[in-house]
Amino acid sequence: MTPEPVYIASYDPRWPVLFEEERRRIEKVVVPWVIEVEHVGSTAVPGLDAKPVIDIMVGLRSMLDADRCVEPLAGLGYSYWEEGAMPHHRLFVMFVDEGQTARTHNLHLVEAGAWYWRERLLFRDYLRNHPATAREYARLKHKLAERYRDNREAYTAAKAEFVAAVVARAEESRT
């Protein structure tokens, strides 16, 4: 498998449409175990530049149901990404090609209401409601994509401090 290069695209108004199409497909195959399906990540923030990968977060009733979702999601073209598997999170990836060089979707199975669920929604919603912070995040992402073009994990890790600060601001503003 060739490493996927990190690049940031200008916002595409089709991203929410692509999410809705995929949400409907996902819900059909995992509905018995799912509470809610959310569009998260940068493609879920209008106007925000992003890696052109639709991030989908599926809120399960319980993580005990995660294994039941593997086969149905594989039938939709998702690959279970076992690298770094955590008990509170399962990652599935859809690629445009069999060589797995360009992903189109990330699908996160998490327990609805758990910390990971709340954190992702807080971050998304804060960026949606604070355009200046979203622009700051876009600048950071462009800079880090240049620096870590061939290292997706390092790119993600380098954004962690910014994400944590935004989540903290979002939590403060809720109280």
Side-chain angles (χ1 to χ4, degrees), residues 11-169:
Y11 179 76
D12 187 335
R14 294 176 302 162
W15 289 337
V17 174
L18 294 171
F19 162 74
E20 284 300 328
E21 291 170 356
E22 198 61 21
R23 180 188 56 77
R24 286 190 291 275
R25 284 179 7 107
I26 292 163
E27 285 178 340
K28 285 180 184 174
V29 300
V30 296
V31 71
W33 310 290
V34 172
I35 293 175
E36 195 169 350
V37 179
E38 291 281 346
H39 187 188
V40 294
S42 295
T43 61
V45 179
L48 182 59
D49 295 351
K51 293 187 313 294
V53 178
I54 306 300
D55 276 293
I56 301 166
M57 188 167 63
V58 176
L60 298 174
R61 297 179 198 288
S62 166
M63 283 309 291
L64 298 174
D65 293 324
D67 290 340
R68 294 180 173 139
C69 297
V70 174
E71 190 174 318
L73 291 171
L76 295 179
Y78 285 93
S79 299
Y80 177 45
W81 208 252
E82 294 182 59
E83 294 177 17
M86 298 175 273
H88 65 277
H89 178 237
R90 301 284 188 287
L91 175 63
F92 294 78
V93 179
M94 184 183 295
F95 293 92
V96 72
D97 60 342
E98 288 188 28
Q100 298 185 341
T101 59
R103 67 180 76 193
T104 59
H105 297 77
N106 289 326
L107 189 152
H108 308 267
L109 288 182
V110 300
E111 191 168 313
W115 71 268
Y116 188 87
W117 175 269
R118 292 189 315 272
E119 181 182 71
R120 300 286 294 232
L121 294 179
L122 280 169
F123 184 69
R124 178 201 66 192
D125 293 347
Y126 193 89
L127 292 180
R128 283 178 172 174
N129 294 314
H130 296 85
T133 304
R135 287 190 298 274
E136 182 183 352
Y137 188 46
R139 285 190 297 274
L140 174 65
K141 290 173 3 143
H142 279 285
K143 180 175 129 185
L144 295 176
E146 285 181 29
R147 182 179 303 158
Y148 300 112
R149 175 86 48 214
D150 295 317
N151 189 337
R152 186 175 284 263
E153 290 76 23
Y155 165 83
T156 301
K159 296 185 308 178
E161 186 177 326
F162 182 92
V163 171
V166 169
V167 169
R169 272 187 266 162

